[in-house]
Amino acid sequence: MRRQSSDGLLRSGATRQRATFLELFLDLVFVFALTRISARLIADFTDGQRGVYAGLGQALLLFLALWAVWSVTVWSTSWLDPEAPVVQTVIVMTLVGSMTMAVAVPNAFGARAALFAITFVTLQIGRVVYFHVAGHGRPDPQQSIRILFWFGLSAPLWVVGGLVNDGTVRAALWTAAVLIDYTGLLLGWPTPRLGAQRLGVQMIAAEHLAERYQQFLLIALGEAIFVIGLAFSGSEFHANQTGGFVLALASTVLLWRIYFHAAGGMLDAAIDRSRNAARLATEMAFAHMVMIAGIVLTGVGFELFITEPLGHLPAVWLIAILGGPALFLAGRSALEYQVFARVSRSRAAGLLALGLLVPVTVHLAPLTAGAASAVVLLGVVTADTRRSRRQPAETPTPPF
């Protein structure tokens, strides 16, 4: 029989480190949520009704809201016992609320704005209140107060933004709300008289937390594969479209290889060896957030050069075709620093190369621009492979 901690909610040494089936079930909702965000972006790049830049900003806000829900859930289940009934109930609440938010994403800045905002606020506040009441204040009643204090600051901005009719006002209110939510998460919800304290500062299940980050990264790659398959299956299967399909699949494999090479596979060891595991794990969350946003944007680029491989290349398409991989490499560079306290030259070279390609590829076909991006990713993978052959396997040395 599994030994529980003294209060029955905190993880104990005998609690399983692997993600539970309920947690994996929750992830399926976020697979769907990422497809809705991706679909919004594809529409913004192709039909121009909202405008690319406005659409990117809106999609970013929606993505950040969904990521906040998922990341706080993961932090909680890496600190608390995910098989405790109270924690499982909170996960089910998160599943229902996240699915409601996901179905509202396509019109979240229009007819479904109120649904998205009110669901988000209800979920974020409701599950903290439920956990506090059902858990009889255990294991840390002050943490509930901290989190509710910060949610109380952002909640009116979310709700009012969802109810107003002016899209510009809504964007401004939701941007302020996101900044408040993420400031609280990053700083550990500092609260008057109580101070700040990150979730799990007492004990973090490093293996569980690392696995959950890795799983969500794979979810993002899976969403990119979904986009690739949907785009190609709806095409005429012409030779150039087939080439775009193969190129997109190859690029996805390269993204997977870059992530899991060294640092991406050593997250748990880095957290275990860190002098400040809570801070390191928090910064890893932000690094993964950037990488996942980059993968989603890269998937949009796949759709563009599969469906219109040799057509005219609007300059804004390079935001997805080159900007997506660049965003991924930026996040991966941050993760590498968090694990090894250094950044490989291949990451910096890759970012520089993608930047230098912008004035060149703007005059080329979309498929050619996609091929140039893939060559850069291949160069990073090649450099990583050569480095691993010349040097022995590294031990994580986190900077703090």
Side-chain angles (χ1 to χ4, degrees), residues 64-294:
L64 290 175
L66 288 162
W67 176 258
V69 170
W70 184 86
S71 60
V72 171
T73 305
V74 168
W75 264 91
S76 299
T77 54
S78 293
W79 173 44
L80 304 169
D81 183 356
E83 295 183 359
V86 173
V87 179
Q88 289 185 332
T89 302
V90 171
I91 295 174
V92 172
M93 292 171 61
T94 304
L95 186 152
V96 174
S98 301
M99 188 63 185
T100 304
M101 292 170 63
V103 298
V105 162
N107 293 301
F109 270 79
R112 300 289 180 265
L115 176 63
F116 184 90
I118 293 173
T119 301
F120 176 73
V121 169
T122 302
L123 177 60
Q124 293 290 71
I125 294 179
R127 60 185 181 171
V128 176
V129 172
Y130 169 80
F131 182 82
H132 182 79
V133 173
H136 304 290
R138 298 173 299 163
D140 185 355
Q142 292 185 347
Q143 191 71 319
S144 299
I145 296 173
R146 291 186 186 94
I147 297 174
L148 288 174
F149 173 81
W150 279 83
F151 285 162
L153 295 177
S154 65
L157 300 174
W158 280 110
V159 174
V160 174
L163 295 176
V164 299
N165 293 322
D166 191 314
T168 302
V169 175
R170 175 176 297 128
L173 290 173
W174 283 5
T175 298
V178 164
L179 290 174
I180 291 173
D181 287 338
Y182 275 81
T183 299
L185 179 62
L186 179 62
L187 300 180
W189 298 286
T191 305
R193 297 187 179 183
L194 297 181
Q197 181 171 289
R198 293 185 174 93
L199 284 175
V201 70
Q202 300 94 334
M203 183 183 70
I204 295 176
E207 183 181 341
H208 177 271
L209 187 60
E211 183 184 69
R212 299 299 285 134
Y213 287 154
Q214 293 161 347
Q215 286 167 346
F216 204 96
L217 195 286
L218 289 173
I219 285 172
L221 290 174
E223 189 277 334
I225 290 175
F226 176 83
V227 170
I228 293 168
L230 198 62
F232 187 57
S233 64
S235 71
E236 299 296 328
F237 283 44
H238 293 153
N240 49 19
Q241 292 171 328
T242 302
F245 169 71
V246 172
L247 179 64
L249 280 178
S251 297
T252 305
V253 173
L254 293 172
L255 292 173
W256 166 82
R257 179 67 175 82
I258 292 170
Y259 173 77
F260 279 102
H261 174 76
M266 298 183 179
L267 306 185
D268 55 341
I271 295 172
D272 273 336
R273 294 172 65 88
S274 174
R275 300 182 304 276
N276 189 340
R279 176 186 169 187
L280 179 64
T282 301
E283 295 194 6
M284 282 183 175
F286 282 88
H288 280 81
M289 179 185 73
V290 173
M291 284 186 285
I292 290 162

Side-chain angles (χ1 to χ4, degrees), residues 12-99:
S12 68
T15 305
R16 61 177 289 176
Q17 291 276 318
R18 303 301 301 273
T20 64
F21 292 121
L22 182 57
E23 291 175 276
L24 297 176
F25 187 31
L26 171 65
D27 286 349
L28 297 178
V29 173
F30 288 91
V31 174
F32 174 72
L34 289 182
T35 65
R36 297 303 84 207
I37 291 176
S38 179
R40 278 183 61 100
L41 287 171
I42 291 170
D44 293 332
F45 276 98
T46 53
D47 69 17
Q49 290 185 7
R50 280 186 292 258
V52 173
Y53 298 110
L56 282 168
Q58 293 176 9
L60 177 61
L61 288 174
L62 301 177
F63 169 75
L64 290 175
L66 288 162
W67 176 258
V69 170
W70 184 86
S71 60
V72 171
T73 305
V74 168
W75 264 91
S76 299
T77 54
S78 293
W79 173 44
L80 304 169
D81 183 356
E83 295 183 359
V86 173
V87 179
Q88 289 185 332
T89 302
V90 171
I91 295 174
V92 172
M93 292 171 61
T94 304
L95 186 152
V96 174
S98 301
M99 188 63 185

Side-chain angles (χ1 to χ4, degrees), residues 319-372:
I319 296 175
I321 296 174
L322 297 181
L327 197 58
F328 171 81
L329 285 179
R332 182 56 177 76
S333 298
L335 183 68
E336 186 170 45
Y337 178 77
Q338 292 156 8
V339 174
F340 296 119
R342 62 152 181 82
V343 177
S344 300
R345 286 179 293 180
S346 61
R347 307 285 182 267
L351 285 168
L352 178 61
L354 288 169
L356 294 175
L357 281 173
V358 173
V360 177
T361 53
V362 73
H363 303 293
L364 304 176
L367 183 59
T368 307

